[in-house]
Amino acid sequence: MAPRRPTSQWSRGRTIAAALAIVVNLGFIAFLVFSVTWQNRAPDPVTVELYAPRAQVAERPEAAQPSPEPPKPAPEPPKPQPEPPKPQPEPPKPAPERPKPVPPGPTPADIAQKAQLAKAERARLDKEKREADKREADKRDTEKRKQEERRAAEMRERQSREEAALKAQAEREALVATKAASAAQAKADDDYRRRIQAKIKGHVVVPPDIGGNPEAIFDVVQLPTGEIIDTQLRKSSGVRAYDEAVQRAIIKASPLPRPEPPAVFQRNLTLKFRPAD
């Protein structure tokens, strides 16, 4: 159904059309009046010149012939009047719009099908979201486990280095202590042996006819109190009198000096003797 025009616009259009018609009619009437007036104007005056016959003119040579007047210009034709403006045609009326067909509404089956599809789509999206969250959680757990394993490996390596460093330091300290103890024990042992040999040499009577500086070695067995319970010649000096003199001196030196500290005590002793020492 075409829309209805407002009354004010329709009246204004009719007024403009009527005014244009009146103006056109007035212009046409004025053109007719002007055309009639132009055709009924008074005629211009006509001048007539009379000339004598040629014979008379020849008889009267003295009479001067008048000069002919120049012809008057023809009157200009009237200018055509401009045509009156043509009335503007009325704009065409818009064609009435056809009503648009109203699409039929969805049926209950369509509504149920759409709801089922929407539910299935939501379920699919929820499933994908759960799977994505699970993958992300597994990824985080894997990365966290790797980080913990790296930290544990670094800690074990650091502990191993520290233990190795402590062990090496302990070994060095133990070696130093062992060397120091060995040196102290060797020093104490040497001092203990020198005191024993000094006491025994105090009882040795060196034969006067001995030559050179032969060495005699004896094995001595003693008690913790220093009392000698046995003595044996391990290596002879080659001079029997010197060997016997040393053996007698060992027996006379009993008891032997005690060691300081007592840990240096040795039950079996190997003693070396030379006459020139």
Side-chain angles (χ1 to χ4, degrees), residues 1 10 16 19 23 33 36 81 95 102 123 131 136 150 176 181 183 186 192 202 207 221 228 235 243 260 275:
M1 182 176 181
W10 176 253
I16 293 173
V23 170
V33 172
V36 173
Q81 295 294 331
V102 179
E131 291 177 354
E136 188 66 23
R150 285 196 296 269
V176 171
Y192 176 51
V221 181
I228 298 173
K235 179 183 177 184
D243 295 339
E260 294 179 3

PDB file of all heavy atoms in Angstrom, residues 1 10 16 19 23 33 36 81 95 102 123 131 136 150 176 181 183 186 192 202 207 221 228 235 243 260 275:
ATOM      1  N   MET A   1       0.849  -1.191   0.000  1.00  0.00           N
ATOM      2  CA  MET A   1       0.000   0.000   0.000  1.00  0.00           C
ATOM      3  C   MET A   1       0.874   1.227   0.000  1.00  0.00           C
ATOM      4  O   MET A   1       1.817   1.329   0.783  1.00  0.00           O
ATOM      5  CB  MET A   1      -0.889   0.004   1.242  1.00  0.00           C
ATOM      6  CG  MET A   1      -1.860   1.175   1.328  1.00  0.00           C
ATOM      7  SD  MET A   1      -2.947   1.021   2.758  1.00  0.00           S
ATOM      8  CE  MET A   1      -3.938   2.494   2.521  1.00  0.00           C
ATOM      9  N   TRP A  10       0.611  18.570  -0.782  1.00  0.00           N
ATOM     10  CA  TRP A  10      -0.278  18.514  -1.969  1.00  0.00           C
ATOM     11  C   TRP A  10      -0.871  19.884  -2.270  1.00  0.00           C
ATOM     12  O   TRP A  10      -0.924  20.313  -3.419  1.00  0.00           O
ATOM     13  CB  TRP A  10      -1.355  17.466  -1.705  1.00  0.00           C
ATOM     14  CG  TRP A  10      -2.383  17.378  -2.809  1.00  0.00           C
ATOM     15  CD1 TRP A  10      -3.663  17.798  -2.781  1.00  0.00           C
ATOM     16  CD2 TRP A  10      -2.162  16.864  -4.101  1.00  0.00           C
ATOM     17  NE1 TRP A  10      -4.280  17.573  -3.944  1.00  0.00           N
ATOM     18  CE2 TRP A  10      -3.350  16.982  -4.818  1.00  0.00           C
ATOM     19  CE3 TRP A  10      -1.048  16.303  -4.736  1.00  0.00           C
ATOM     20  CZ2 TRP A  10      -3.499  16.545  -6.110  1.00  0.00           C
ATOM     21  CZ3 TRP A  10      -1.213  15.880  -6.019  1.00  0.00           C
ATOM     22  CH2 TRP A  10      -2.413  16.010  -6.708  1.00  0.00           C
ATOM     23  N   ILE A  16       1.386  26.157  -6.694  1.00  0.00           N
ATOM     24  CA  ILE A  16       2.472  26.500  -7.614  1.00  0.00           C
ATOM     25  C   ILE A  16       2.052  26.254  -9.060  1.00  0.00           C
ATOM     26  O   ILE A  16       2.328  27.048  -9.967  1.00  0.00           O
ATOM     27  CB  ILE A  16       3.723  25.688  -7.259  1.00  0.00           C
ATOM     28  CG1 ILE A  16       4.263  26.119  -5.880  1.00  0.00           C
ATOM     29  CG2 ILE A  16       4.812  25.853  -8.315  1.00  0.00           C
ATOM     30  CD1 ILE A  16       5.384  25.272  -5.357  1.00  0.00           C
ATOM     31  N   ALA A  19      -0.301  29.025 -10.189  1.00  0.00           N
ATOM     32  CA  ALA A  19       0.417  30.287 -10.424  1.00  0.00           C
ATOM     33  C   ALA A  19       1.165  30.239 -11.738  1.00  0.00           C
ATOM     34  O   ALA A  19       1.175  31.221 -12.517  1.00  0.00           O
ATOM     35  CB  ALA A  19       1.375  30.552  -9.265  1.00  0.00           C
ATOM     36  N   VAL A  23       0.622  32.788 -15.015  1.00  0.00           N
ATOM     37  CA  VAL A  23       1.729  33.552 -15.620  1.00  0.00           C
ATOM     38  C   VAL A  23       1.844  33.257 -17.102  1.00  0.00           C
ATOM     39  O   VAL A  23       2.054  34.144 -17.945  1.00  0.00           O
ATOM     40  CB  VAL A  23       3.048  33.232 -14.872  1.00  0.00           C
ATOM     41  CG1 VAL A  23       4.229  33.816 -15.622  1.00  0.00           C
ATOM     42  CG2 VAL A  23       3.008  33.784 -13.451  1.00  0.00           C
ATOM     43  N   VAL A  33      -1.478  41.062 -27.913  1.00  0.00           N
ATOM     44  CA  VAL A  33      -1.745  42.502 -27.961  1.00  0.00           C
ATOM     45  C   VAL A  33      -0.603  43.222 -28.640  1.00  0.00           C
ATOM     46  O   VAL A  33      -0.778  44.112 -29.477  1.00  0.00           O
ATOM     47  CB  VAL A  33      -1.986  43.045 -26.549  1.00  0.00           C
ATOM     48  CG1 VAL A  33      -2.057  44.563 -26.562  1.00  0.00           C
ATOM     49  CG2 VAL A  33      -3.278  42.458 -25.971  1.00  0.00           C
ATOM     50  N   VAL A  36      -0.754  42.716 -32.546  1.00  0.00           N
ATOM     51  CA  VAL A  36      -1.812  43.492 -33.225  1.00  0.00           C
ATOM     52  C   VAL A  36      -1.424  44.953 -33.289  1.00  0.00           C
ATOM     53  O   VAL A  36      -1.600  45.644 -34.298  1.00  0.00           O
ATOM     54  CB  VAL A  36      -3.165  43.290 -32.516  1.00  0.00           C
ATOM     55  CG1 VAL A  36      -4.219  44.215 -33.088  1.00  0.00           C
ATOM     56  CG2 VAL A  36      -3.610  41.839 -32.632  1.00  0.00           C
ATOM     57  N   GLN A  81       9.629  38.528 -30.084  1.00  0.00           N
ATOM     58  CA  GLN A  81       9.530  38.514 -28.626  1.00  0.00           C
ATOM     59  C   GLN A  81       9.949  37.145 -28.088  1.00  0.00           C
ATOM     60  O   GLN A  81       9.711  36.121 -28.720  1.00  0.00           O
ATOM     61  CB  GLN A  81       8.082  38.819 -28.208  1.00  0.00           C
ATOM     62  CG  GLN A  81       7.638  40.224 -28.585  1.00  0.00           C
ATOM     63  CD  GLN A  81       8.418  41.276 -27.812  1.00  0.00           C
ATOM     64  OE1 GLN A  81       8.854  41.018 -26.694  1.00  0.00           O
ATOM     65  NE2 GLN A  81       8.591  42.450 -28.424  1.00  0.00           N
ATOM     66  N   ALA A  95       5.957   5.347  -7.322  1.00  0.00           N
ATOM     67  CA  ALA A  95       5.128   4.144  -7.389  1.00  0.00           C
ATOM     68  C   ALA A  95       4.944   3.571  -5.993  1.00  0.00           C
ATOM     69  O   ALA A  95       5.845   3.636  -5.166  1.00  0.00           O
ATOM     70  CB  ALA A  95       5.796   3.109  -8.290  1.00  0.00           C
ATOM     71  N   VAL A 102       6.379 -11.608   4.188  1.00  0.00           N
ATOM     72  CA  VAL A 102       6.839 -11.969   5.533  1.00  0.00           C
ATOM     73  C   VAL A 102       7.212 -13.449   5.534  1.00  0.00           C
ATOM     74  O   VAL A 102       6.396 -14.292   5.161  1.00  0.00           O
ATOM     75  CB  VAL A 102       5.733 -11.692   6.565  1.00  0.00           C
ATOM     76  CG1 VAL A 102       6.207 -12.082   7.971  1.00  0.00           C
ATOM     77  CG2 VAL A 102       5.345 -10.223   6.518  1.00  0.00           C
ATOM     78  N   ALA A 123      28.625 -28.813  23.594  1.00  0.00           N
ATOM     79  CA  ALA A 123      29.319 -29.993  24.134  1.00  0.00           C
ATOM     80  C   ALA A 123      30.661 -30.186  23.447  1.00  0.00           C
ATOM     81  O   ALA A 123      31.667 -30.519  24.098  1.00  0.00           O
ATOM     82  CB  ALA A 123      28.428 -31.223  23.949  1.00  0.00           C
ATOM     83  N   GLU A 131      40.043 -30.767  26.764  1.00  0.00           N
ATOM     84  CA  GLU A 131      41.247 -31.404  26.218  1.00  0.00           C
ATOM     85  C   GLU A 131      42.410 -30.421  26.150  1.00  0.00           C
ATOM     86  O   GLU A 131      43.552 -30.777  26.472  1.00  0.00           O
ATOM     87  CB  GLU A 131      40.932 -31.958  24.828  1.00  0.00           C
ATOM     88  CG  GLU A 131      39.978 -33.146  24.844  1.00  0.00           C
ATOM     89  CD  GLU A 131      39.644 -33.622  23.440  1.00  0.00           C
ATOM     90  OE1 GLU A 131      40.079 -32.941  22.481  1.00  0.00           O
ATOM     91  OE2 GLU A 131      38.972 -34.670  23.300  1.00  0.00           O
ATOM     92  N   GLU A 136      47.466 -28.525  28.360  1.00  0.00           N
ATOM     93  CA  GLU A 136      48.256 -27.449  28.976  1.00  0.00           C
ATOM     94  C   GLU A 136      48.736 -27.848  30.363  1.00  0.00           C
ATOM     95  O   GLU A 136      49.890 -27.585  30.742  1.00  0.00           O
ATOM     96  CB  GLU A 136      47.399 -26.183  29.052  1.00  0.00           C
ATOM     97  CG  GLU A 136      48.158 -24.943  29.493  1.00  0.00           C
ATOM     98  CD  GLU A 136      49.198 -24.520  28.494  1.00  0.00           C
ATOM     99  OE1 GLU A 136      49.069 -24.879  27.306  1.00  0.00           O
ATOM    100  OE2 GLU A 136      50.148 -23.820  28.895  1.00  0.00           O
ATOM    101  N   ARG A 150      66.190 -31.286  36.821  1.00  0.00           N
ATOM    102  CA  ARG A 150      67.424 -30.522  36.592  1.00  0.00           C
ATOM    103  C   ARG A 150      67.980 -29.989  37.906  1.00  0.00           C
ATOM    104  O   ARG A 150      69.195 -30.049  38.151  1.00  0.00           O
ATOM    105  CB  ARG A 150      67.149 -29.373  35.616  1.00  0.00           C
ATOM    106  CG  ARG A 150      67.009 -29.807  34.169  1.00  0.00           C
ATOM    107  CD  ARG A 150      67.140 -28.612  33.247  1.00  0.00           C
ATOM    108  NE  ARG A 150      66.073 -27.658  33.440  1.00  0.00           N
ATOM    109  CZ  ARG A 150      64.928 -27.661  32.771  1.00  0.00           C
ATOM    110  NH1 ARG A 150      64.690 -28.580  31.860  1.00  0.00           N
ATOM    111  NH2 ARG A 150      64.001 -26.739  33.012  1.00  0.00           N
ATOM    112  N   VAL A 176      98.951 -35.221  55.516  1.00  0.00           N
ATOM    113  CA  VAL A 176      99.847 -34.335  56.266  1.00  0.00           C
ATOM    114  C   VAL A 176     100.007 -34.825  57.692  1.00  0.00           C
ATOM    115  O   VAL A 176     101.120 -34.866  58.257  1.00  0.00           O
ATOM    116  CB  VAL A 176      99.304 -32.900  56.223  1.00  0.00           C
ATOM    117  CG1 VAL A 176     100.095 -32.001  57.168  1.00  0.00           C
ATOM    118  CG2 VAL A 176      99.363 -32.352  54.801  1.00  0.00           C
ATOM    119  N   ALA A 181     102.861 -37.514  61.754  1.00  0.00           N
ATOM    120  CA  ALA A 181     102.966 -38.568  62.772  1.00  0.00           C
ATOM    121  C   ALA A 181     104.125 -39.510  62.457  1.00  0.00           C
ATOM    122  O   ALA A 181     104.871 -39.940  63.361  1.00  0.00           O
ATOM    123  CB  ALA A 181     101.645 -39.345  62.837  1.00  0.00           C
ATOM    124  N   ALA A 183     106.733 -38.735  60.742  1.00  0.00           N
ATOM    125  CA  ALA A 183     107.982 -38.031  61.020  1.00  0.00           C
ATOM    126  C   ALA A 183     108.260 -37.979  62.519  1.00  0.00           C
ATOM    127  O   ALA A 183     109.401 -38.203  62.977  1.00  0.00           O
ATOM    128  CB  ALA A 183     107.905 -36.622  60.427  1.00  0.00           C
ATOM    129  N   ALA A 186     109.112 -41.482  63.567  1.00  0.00           N
ATOM    130  CA  ALA A 186     110.474 -41.809  63.130  1.00  0.00           C
ATOM    131  C   ALA A 186     111.503 -41.078  63.979  1.00  0.00           C
ATOM    132  O   ALA A 186     112.548 -41.657  64.364  1.00  0.00           O
ATOM    133  CB  ALA A 186     110.628 -41.429  61.652  1.00  0.00           C
ATOM    134  N   TYR A 192     114.921 -43.034  70.359  1.00  0.00           N
ATOM    135  CA  TYR A 192     114.883 -44.217  71.248  1.00  0.00           C
ATOM    136  C   TYR A 192     116.041 -45.157  70.935  1.00  0.00           C
ATOM    137  O   TYR A 192     116.744 -45.652  71.826  1.00  0.00           O
ATOM    138  CB  TYR A 192     113.541 -44.903  71.083  1.00  0.00           C
ATOM    139  CG  TYR A 192     113.361 -46.177  71.854  1.00  0.00           C
ATOM    140  CD1 TYR A 192     113.627 -46.248  73.237  1.00  0.00           C
ATOM    141  CD2 TYR A 192     112.917 -47.331  71.209  1.00  0.00           C
ATOM    142  CE1 TYR A 192     113.442 -47.433  73.919  1.00  0.00           C
ATOM    143  CE2 TYR A 192     112.721 -48.515  71.903  1.00  0.00           C
ATOM    144  CZ  TYR A 192     112.986 -48.560  73.254  1.00  0.00           C
ATOM    145  OH  TYR A 192     112.815 -49.749  73.949  1.00  0.00           O
ATOM    146  N   GLY A 202     128.353 -47.717  75.789  1.00  0.00           N
ATOM    147  CA  GLY A 202     129.094 -47.366  77.021  1.00  0.00           C
ATOM    148  C   GLY A 202     129.713 -48.569  77.710  1.00  0.00           C
ATOM    149  O   GLY A 202     130.620 -48.411  78.527  1.00  0.00           O
ATOM    150  N   PRO A 207     138.435 -53.926  71.001  1.00  0.00           N
ATOM    151  CA  PRO A 207     139.789 -54.509  70.980  1.00  0.00           C
ATOM    152  C   PRO A 207     140.791 -53.523  70.363  1.00  0.00           C
ATOM    153  O   PRO A 207     140.447 -52.823  69.403  1.00  0.00           O
ATOM    154  CB  PRO A 207     139.611 -55.760  70.112  1.00  0.00           C
ATOM    155  CG  PRO A 207     138.156 -56.078  70.161  1.00  0.00           C
ATOM    156  CD  PRO A 207     137.466 -54.787  70.296  1.00  0.00           C
ATOM    157  N   VAL A 221     115.710 -58.991  71.869  1.00  0.00           N
ATOM    158  CA  VAL A 221     114.329 -59.156  72.317  1.00  0.00           C
ATOM    159  C   VAL A 221     114.263 -58.655  73.747  1.00  0.00           C
ATOM    160  O   VAL A 221     115.061 -59.082  74.601  1.00  0.00           O
ATOM    161  CB  VAL A 221     113.895 -60.627  72.237  1.00  0.00           C
ATOM    162  CG1 VAL A 221     112.451 -60.778  72.691  1.00  0.00           C
ATOM    163  CG2 VAL A 221     114.054 -61.174  70.828  1.00  0.00           C
ATOM    164  N   ILE A 228     116.335 -57.278  78.857  1.00  0.00           N
ATOM    165  CA  ILE A 228     116.683 -58.052  77.674  1.00  0.00           C
ATOM    166  C   ILE A 228     116.543 -59.525  78.009  1.00  0.00           C
ATOM    167  O   ILE A 228     117.094 -60.018  79.008  1.00  0.00           O
ATOM    168  CB  ILE A 228     118.122 -57.753  77.225  1.00  0.00           C
ATOM    169  CG1 ILE A 228     118.247 -56.281  76.834  1.00  0.00           C
ATOM    170  CG2 ILE A 228     118.527 -58.654  76.060  1.00  0.00           C
ATOM    171  CD1 ILE A 228     119.666 -55.852  76.526  1.00  0.00           C
ATOM    172  N   LYS A 235     124.668 -60.269  61.895  1.00  0.00           N
ATOM    173  CA  LYS A 235     125.756 -60.066  60.935  1.00  0.00           C
ATOM    174  C   LYS A 235     127.028 -59.787  61.722  1.00  0.00           C
ATOM    175  O   LYS A 235     127.059 -58.862  62.548  1.00  0.00           O
ATOM    176  CB  LYS A 235     125.448 -58.905  60.005  1.00  0.00           C
ATOM    177  CG  LYS A 235     126.557 -58.632  59.004  1.00  0.00           C
ATOM    178  CD  LYS A 235     126.224 -57.411  58.156  1.00  0.00           C
ATOM    179  CE  LYS A 235     127.352 -57.097  57.201  1.00  0.00           C
ATOM    180  NZ  LYS A 235     127.101 -55.861  56.423  1.00  0.00           N
ATOM    181  N   ASP A 243     132.711 -58.639  68.061  1.00  0.00           N
ATOM    182  CA  ASP A 243     131.347 -59.143  68.150  1.00  0.00           C
ATOM    183  C   ASP A 243     131.030 -59.571  69.588  1.00  0.00           C
ATOM    184  O   ASP A 243     129.957 -59.256  70.119  1.00  0.00           O
ATOM    185  CB  ASP A 243     131.146 -60.328  67.206  1.00  0.00           C
ATOM    186  CG  ASP A 243     131.290 -59.932  65.740  1.00  0.00           C
ATOM    187  OD1 ASP A 243     131.146 -58.691  65.441  1.00  0.00           O
ATOM    188  OD2 ASP A 243     131.497 -60.800  64.873  1.00  0.00           O
ATOM    189  N   GLU A 260     109.843 -42.878  74.866  1.00  0.00           N
ATOM    190  CA  GLU A 260     108.933 -41.751  75.114  1.00  0.00           C
ATOM    191  C   GLU A 260     108.501 -41.196  73.759  1.00  0.00           C
ATOM    192  O   GLU A 260     109.368 -40.672  73.012  1.00  0.00           O
ATOM    193  CB  GLU A 260     109.638 -40.673  75.926  1.00  0.00           C
ATOM    194  CG  GLU A 260     109.999 -41.117  77.325  1.00  0.00           C
ATOM    195  CD  GLU A 260     110.716 -40.010  78.085  1.00  0.00           C
ATOM    196  OE1 GLU A 260     110.857 -38.899  77.495  1.00  0.00           O
ATOM    197  OE2 GLU A 260     111.133 -40.238  79.209  1.00  0.00           O
ATOM    198  N   PRO A 275     132.791 -49.638  65.532  1.00  0.00           N
ATOM    199  CA  PRO A 275     133.735 -49.142  66.581  1.00  0.00           C
ATOM    200  C   PRO A 275     134.044 -47.669  66.435  1.00  0.00           C
ATOM    201  O   PRO A 275     134.333 -47.000  67.446  1.00  0.00           O
ATOM    202  CB  PRO A 275     134.972 -50.015  66.380  1.00  0.00           C
ATOM    203  CG  PRO A 275     134.872 -50.506  65.006  1.00  0.00           C
ATOM    204  CD  PRO A 275     133.399 -50.660  64.704  1.00  0.00           C
TER     205      PRO A 275
END
